Structures are given as structure tokens and as C-alpha cells.
């Protein structure tokens, strides 16, 4: 998996619309479907909480 | 004079526009790639969800926010909700002035009298919570639930968690101003208009720029961002109370910084639902005292159809959590929606469940906190929903806090402290 949700994620859903792979689901916290995630980094860019880290 | 505003949330943008209008050279630094913070749109599957707010301006055109937008020349059309609010009790909707119909004859009389006093601003309270205050006057379980739904929707707190004085002042303001509205274009309509005003006044908005630290200089402040160092006589932080305490540690007295750091933010759950037809049928608030977690719902596409795809509707529900496990709270809120909305499965599809806490909360400080926007460090101010004066909820409180900040600044300028 390229994108990893951290402890800082609050589940605010701000990343949701920006994921081109529709890999994110949010319910109290973001969950990323590793088989879909391409590691593009959009979620991390739009997250207000540094709630997700993307490995380069 | 130069002013740096940290954060382009609603408070930051209002402050920045007002400072630019007063002749300050203003730079707003926002760490995210978009302005608006918790008050802007999040487009998802053709629906205008939001980063936070439920697309409502609590006191409509005549409230402090509406007034400030007008003064600043921000072109926002606020569409009044009609009805303003109803209460869904036992599957039926009652307008605020009729909801006493669900009470017993004796309770009815008491409730009507009490509400009239509250609306006129004549009800008085000491230090007790709103729940305690109500219990002194009436012992009705239904009334308690109605109170919980009201404060839960407006403040994301239950009646026992808010000082009575604060709620009484809010109800009096609500009654006096008598309107609630939806900005055309949703929250983003407001933010776009403010950014336009800021830029037309020569102010600058720098996106993707995180402020790390504020340090003191003989002439004012140095603001350190990831990219470099800025200088300003006035610094306005919209970054929240705890973040501000950390960023400005060097210039704030330790006791004050500890006070900021010690204030708890208020959590909440929001559910956005796509509807194939109007399920509420108006743009006012539907308070839901029967539900276990959901406190209220609205359907803003009835005010501005552009907030949903053609022919579809956007419903949003807010829940005030009763416990710390927000996933569980969200599940309970979803169950509520199935009970509250007839034929939910047929007509509705859940778009997103959003939870708020920590540094991205419903409120940076619980209602009733009343922290001043002026910090002990001259020229350093705080705006946003951590510094709301008594009686003003949500973004109305943010606007009133900005107004207070400007008064403090004017006084400081007059006595040439800055
Ligand atoms: C679920 C929910 C529903 C709500 N519903 C309503 C409603 O219907 N009506 C209403 O009036 N209000 C509502 N509110 C409240 C309203 O959204 C907030 O009161 C308002 O948005 C707070 O604005 P703010 O000025 O505190 O700024 P914020 O929105 O907190 O913005 C602060 C900005 O500062 C930036 N920032 C932080 N740290 C830094 C840094 N170090 N450097 C640079 N930038 C930084 C952040 O990225 C952010 O953009 C709701 C809130 C929530 C969560
Ligand atoms: S990863 Fe960030 S944007 Fe996504 S839900 Fe968590 S906190 Fe919100
Ligand atoms: S890295 Fe890109 S693909 Fe992966 S979850 Fe984030 S936005 Fe989606």
C-alpha cells in the first residue's frame, strides 16, 4: 500500500472527492483500499489534518 | 502597516478583508491548497458537500455575518429558509410556536410562558447548565429532548453541556433576528466572495503555505513559514487555539498559552445524503428530538438547487456525539436516519459520513467559553470559532469575534501600542 492513514486522521472526509481511484472510504476514520490506491498523493495534499502519508 | 493572517478559514478571511479595507498591507497564509477551512464546498458525485458546515447562516441576512459581508462589499445572496425550523416529533413536523402541542395541558401552559420569556430576552440564569435551568422550570422529558436537539444541532453539545446563560442569549438573538438562511452556492459562495474582496483591496492570499512559528521583534512579529520569513506589525491567527498556543509560544505568557492549550474542542458527526426527490421539502432545519444521535437535518437544495445535480436533493444531518468512539456514534446516527426518513432505502443514498474532532472540530472551544480575540501579546490576535462572544452561535459568533478583534485593534492603534 502506498497511502497510509495515520493516527491524526479525524475522519473528516475532505480527501474523499479528490481520490481519482475511488480508493477511500470514511467512517470515523479514512480507510484506503490498497488494491486500488495508486499512490498519487492527492489525499495527503487535501487533508487538513496530516491524516495520511504517501510513500514516494 | 503590515498584517499577516494565519489561515484562510472564515474568521481569517473576514479579518483579512476588514484589515485590507482599513489600509493594512495584508497577506493571508493558508497551509491547504484551498481557502475556506471548515466552511467551503467539497464537490462529490455532483453534490456540493462541505468541509464542515451545513451550508447555513444561522441568522440569515440580518445577523452579524450577513451584516459584515454587506459592509465588506462581499456579494453573497443569502436565501432565507421558510419555515425557519420545525420539530419532528412522533413522525409529525411542528413549527417552533406549535411544538407545545405534543405536551400535556399543564406543561403546555408552562412551556408557552417560558418560551415567550426566552424570546424576549427576559429569562435569567445563574451558573447552571441549560438542562439544569430547564429542569427548575419544567420536569418534561419531551422538553428536555427538544432542548437537547436544539443545542445539539446549533452547538454540537447537549443541554447539560452548555451554560444556560449562553443558550438564553442565543435564543433571544435568534428570536430578535428571526431568520435563518442558505448562502447561494453554499459555504463556498461566501468564501469566493471574500477572496474576491480581499484581492480587490490589494490583499494577498498565499495557498499551500504553512506557518510554523511566530516570534517577537522590537517592531512587531516575524512569521516563519515553510518557505521563509515574513514581517508584520499585526498578526491574526485563525489556526485554532491550541495550534496558536504552540506557534506563538515564544511571545505568549506561559499561563495564557496553557489556558489556550487546555481548552477542549467540540466533536460532531455529519451525514450527507443524496435524495432522488425532496424528502424534507423545504430549506429550514428539522430538529429531531426523537432520535438517539441525530439532532437535526436540512435539505439545502430546496434553497439553492445547484447544490445537487438537476432534479436531485442534498440532505445533511448533524449528530452530537454522546461518546468518544465516533465510528460508533456515526453508526448510531445512520440508524437514526433510517427511522427518521420514511422510505429511506428507496429514496436516499448515503454520500459521506464525516466526523470532526481534535484540531478539525465543530468548534475549537465549547460554547460559553468567551475568550477574547486580543492575546496578552500586543498586536497578536485570534479569530475563528474559538473566540465567540456570548449569545452568538456558529459563524455568527465567528463574525462577532472578528468585530471584537477590530475594536481591540482600533483601541491599540489609538493608544499607539502598535
Ligand atoms: C459538521 C459541522 C457543521 C457545521 N454547520 C454549520 C452551519 O451550518 N452554519 C454555521 O454557521 N456554522 C457551522 N459550522 C461551524 C463553522 O463551520 C465554523 O464555525 C467555521 O467554519 C470556523 O471557521 P474558523 O474561522 O474557525 O476557521 P477554520 O475553518 O478552522 O479555518 C482555519 C484555517 O486555518 C488553516 N491553518 C491552520 N493552521 C495553519 C498554519 N499553521 N498555517 C497556515 N494555515 C493554517 C487551516 O488549514 C484552515 O483552513 C459547522 C461545523 C461543522 C464541523
Ligand atoms: S485522511 Fe485527512 S482528509 Fe481524509 S478523512 Fe482523514 S483527516 Fe480527513
Ligand atoms: S494516494 Fe491517490 S489513489 Fe491512493 S488513496 Fe490517496 S488519492 Fe487515492
Amino acid at each position: 500500500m502506498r497511502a497510509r492513514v495515520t493516527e491524526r486522521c479525524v475522519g473528516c472526509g475532505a480527501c474523499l472527492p479528490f481520490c481519482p481511484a475511488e480508493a477511500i472510504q470514511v467512517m470515523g476514520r479514512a480507510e484506503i483500499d490498497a488494491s486500488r490506491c495508486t499512490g498519487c498523493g492527492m489525499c495527503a495534499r487535501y487533508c487538513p489534518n496530516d491524516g495520511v502519508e504517501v510513500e514516494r | 502597516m503590515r498584517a499577516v493572517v494565519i489561515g484562510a478559514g472564515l474568521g481569517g478571511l473576514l479579518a483579512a478583508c476588514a484589515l485590507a479595507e482599513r489600509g493594512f498591507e495584508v497577506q493571508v497564509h493558508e497551509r491547504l491548497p484551498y481557502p475556506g477551512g471548515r466552511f467551503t464546498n467539497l464537490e462529490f458525485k455532483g453534490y456540493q458537500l462541505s468541509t464542515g458546515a451545513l451550508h447555513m447562516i444561522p441568522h440569515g441576512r440580518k445577523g452579524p455575518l450577513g451584516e459584515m459581508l454587506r459592509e465588506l462589499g462581499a456579494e453573497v445572496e443569502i436565501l432565507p429558509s421558510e419555515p425557519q425550523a420545525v420539530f419532528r416529533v412522533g413522525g409529525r413536523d411542528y413549527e417552533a410556536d406549535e411544538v407545545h402541542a405534543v405536551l400535556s395541558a399543564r406543561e403546555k401552559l408552562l412551556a408557552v410562558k417560558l418560551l415567550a420569556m426566552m424570546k424576549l430576552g427576559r429569562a435569567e440564569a445563574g451558573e447552571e447548565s441549560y438542562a439544569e435551568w430547564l429542569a427548575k422550570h419544567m420536569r418534561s422529558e419531551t422538553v428536555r429532548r427538544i432542548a437537547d436537539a436544539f443545542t445539539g444541532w446549533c452547538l454540537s453539545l447537549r443541554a447539560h453541556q452548555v451554560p444556560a446563560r449562553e443558550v438564553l442569549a442565543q435564543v433571544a438573538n435568534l428570536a430578535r433576528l428571526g431568520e435563518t438562511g442558505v448562502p447561494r452556492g453554499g459555504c463556498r459562495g461566501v468564501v469566493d466572495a471574500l477572496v474576491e474582496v480581499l484581492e480587490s483591496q490589494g490583499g494577498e492570499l498565499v495557498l499551500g503555505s504553512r506557518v510554523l512559528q511566530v516570534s517577537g521583534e522590537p517592531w512587531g512579529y516575524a512569521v516563519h513559514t515553510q518557505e521563509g520569513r515574513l514581517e508584520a506589525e499585526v498578526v491574526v491567527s485563525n489556526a485554532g487555539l491550541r495550534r496558536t498556543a504552540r506557534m506563538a509560544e515564544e511571545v505568549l505568557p506561559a499561563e495564557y498559552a496553557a489556558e489556550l492549550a487546555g481548552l477542549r474542542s467540540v466533536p460532531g458527526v455529519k451525514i450527507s445524503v443524496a435524495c432522488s426527490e425532496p424528502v424534507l421539502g423545504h430549506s429550514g432545519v428539522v430538529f429531531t428530538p426523537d432520535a438517539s444521535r441525530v439532532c437535526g437535518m436540512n435539505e439545502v437544495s430546496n434553497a439553492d438547487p445547484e447544490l445537487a445535480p438537476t432534479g436531485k436533493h442534498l440532505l445533511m444531518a448533524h449528530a452530537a456525539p454522546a461518546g468518544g468512539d465516533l465510528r460508533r456514534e456515526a453508526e448510531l446516527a445512520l440508524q437514526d436516519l433510517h427511522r427518521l426518513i420514511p422510505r429511506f432505502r428507496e429514496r436516499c443514498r448515503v454520500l459521506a459520513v464525516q466526523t470532526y474532532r481534535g484540531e478539525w472540530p465543530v468548534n475549537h472551544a465549547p460554547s460559553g467559553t468567551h475568550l477574547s480575540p486580543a492575546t496578552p501579546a500586543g498586536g497578536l490576535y485570534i479569530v475563528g470559532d474559538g473566540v465567540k462572544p456570548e449569545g452568538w452561535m456558529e459563524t455568527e459568533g465567528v463574525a462577532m469575534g472578528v468585530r471584537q478583534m477590530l475594536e481591540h485593534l482600533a483601541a491599540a492603534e489609538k493608544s499607539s501600542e502598535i
Side-chain angles (χ1 to χ4, degrees):
Chain A
M1 179 167 35
R2 307 238 179 106
R4 195 176 59 85
V5 179
T6 74
E7 275 303 297
R8 284 191 293 267
C9 170
V10 305
C12 75
C15 53
L16 203 59
F18 298 102
C19 175
E22 294 189 23
I24 306 174
Q25 282 204 318
V26 184
M27 184 73 183
R29 185 171 286 268
E31 276 164 39
I32 294 173
D33 180 344
S35 67
R36 287 182 167 213
C37 172
T38 63
C40 70
M42 287 297 274
C43 51
R45 193 165 129 76
Y46 285 89
C47 173
N49 298 297
D50 300 319
V52 52
E53 282 168 2
V54 181
E55 285 162 30
R56 295 265 156 208
Chain B
M1 283 218 276
R2 297 160 297 180
V4 169
V5 178
I6 306 169
L10 188 67
L13 287 173
L14 288 170
C17 289
L19 289 169
E21 193 186 40
R22 283 161 180 70
F24 278 81
E25 218 177 281
V26 183
Q27 270 205 353
V28 185
H29 285 257
E30 167 56 56
R31 71 195 159 128
L32 290 169
Y34 53 91
R38 288 167 287 152
F39 201 78
T40 191
N41 297 14
L42 211 53
E43 187 175 338
F44 189 47
K45 300 188 176 166
Y47 292 83
Q48 299 295 331
L49 311 190
S50 92
T51 48
L54 298 138
H55 292 312
M56 286 203 120
I57 297 186
H59 301 326
R61 295 166 298 186
K62 291 179 252 167
L65 178 59
E67 218 166 83
M68 190 172 266
L69 290 170
R70 226 175 6 257
E71 282 169 20
L72 292 169
E75 282 180 35
V76 181
E77 190 189 351
I78 300 173
L79 308 157
S81 300
E82 180 53 43
Q84 190 177 16
V86 299
F87 291 81
R88 183 163 289 189
V89 184
R92 249 195 75 181
D93 289 352
Y94 300 86
E95 294 215 16
D97 289 331
E98 297 166 352
V99 65
H100 54 76
V102 302
L103 303 174
S104 71
R106 209 182 74 83
E107 288 172 347
K108 222 176 268 181
L109 212 67
L110 265 171
V112 170
K113 258 169 86 186
L114 208 57
L115 187 64
M117 293 270 286
M118 288 170 73
K119 282 181 153 185
L120 289 168
R122 295 215 185 115
E124 282 174 18
E127 298 301 317
E128 69 271 39
S129 74
Y130 183 44
E132 286 164 343
W133 183 84
L134 265 180
K136 273 190 208 164
H137 297 276
M138 323 193 41
R139 281 271 159 71
S140 158
E141 172 67 9
T142 313
V143 169
R144 194 191 55 78
R145 287 185 150 270
I146 289 173
D148 271 344
F150 176 75
T151 61
W153 169 271
C154 300
L155 315 172
S156 210
L157 294 168
R158 298 298 173 149
H160 70 274
Q161 298 171 302
V162 206
R165 269 220 293 268
E166 177 65 35
V167 180
L168 294 178
Q170 290 190 2
V171 171
N173 282 332
L174 207 54
R176 187 166 53 79
L177 296 163
E179 187 176 287
T180 292
V182 175
R184 189 178 290 285
C187 300
R188 184 160 174 192
V190 175
V191 166
D192 283 350
L194 285 172
V195 171
E196 209 176 300
V197 168
L198 177 68
E199 288 174 347
S200 74
Q201 297 271 7
E204 200 187 339
L205 171 63
V206 187
L207 297 173
S209 171
R210 190 190 297 248
V211 172
L212 304 172
Q213 200 201 343
V214 178
S215 58
E217 296 288 344
W219 37 261
Y221 295 98
V223 177
H224 308 266
T225 71
Q226 266 166 334
E227 286 75 37
R229 180 177 183 275
L230 310 155
E231 297 178 345
E233 284 76 27
V234 169
V235 174
V236 178
S237 174
N238 187 210
L241 305 176
R242 290 154 297 276
R243 277 207 188 103
T244 303
R246 248 177 287 135
M247 254 178 328
E249 198 182 8
E250 187 187 299
V251 297
L252 292 172
E255 237 170 77
Y256 176 78
E259 187 194 336
L260 291 191
L263 285 166
R264 290 287 209 91
S265 68
V266 179
V269 177
K270 183 181 72 181
I271 301 176
S272 298
V273 180
C275 308
S276 59
E277 58 179 47
V279 301
L280 301 181
H282 57 82
S283 63
V285 183
V286 176
F287 290 109
T288 55
D290 290 346
S292 89
R293 292 304 190 274
V294 170
C295 304
M297 320 181 271
N298 64 10
E299 197 172 48
V300 286
S301 46
N302 290 314
D304 181 358
E306 307 249 311
L307 295 171
T310 313
K312 307 277 197 229
H313 282 271
L314 171 62
L315 178 138
M316 291 184 285
H318 183 81
D325 179 352
L326 291 192
R327 188 193 166 97
R328 170 89 187 124
E329 295 294 321
E331 277 162 2
L332 291 169
L334 278 171
Q335 289 171 18
D336 279 339
L337 285 185
H338 284 265
R339 283 191 290 261
L340 286 165
I341 298 171
R343 297 188 289 121
F344 187 87
R345 263 175 243 281
E346 248 171 80
R347 305 188 285 169
C348 306
R349 182 166 50 90
V350 173
L351 285 165
V353 176
Q354 295 169 275
T355 53
Y356 299 87
R357 61 188 156 95
E359 294 308 298
W360 199 250
V362 179
N363 262 319
H364 272 296
S367 297
T369 303
H370 310 147
L371 199 70
S372 167
T375 73
L380 172 62
Y381 300 93
I382 300 177
V383 294
D385 65 8
V387 291
K388 292 195 281 209
E390 182 172 90
W392 300 103
M393 61 175 75
E394 307 174 44
T395 51
E396 306 293 1
V398 173
M400 285 303 277
V402 171
R403 213 178 267 291
Q404 276 193 338
M405 184 279 285
L406 295 167
E407 283 163 14
H408 283 289
L409 176 65
E413 278 184 303
K414 214 167 167 191
S415 61
S416 35
E417 279 167 34
I418 298 172

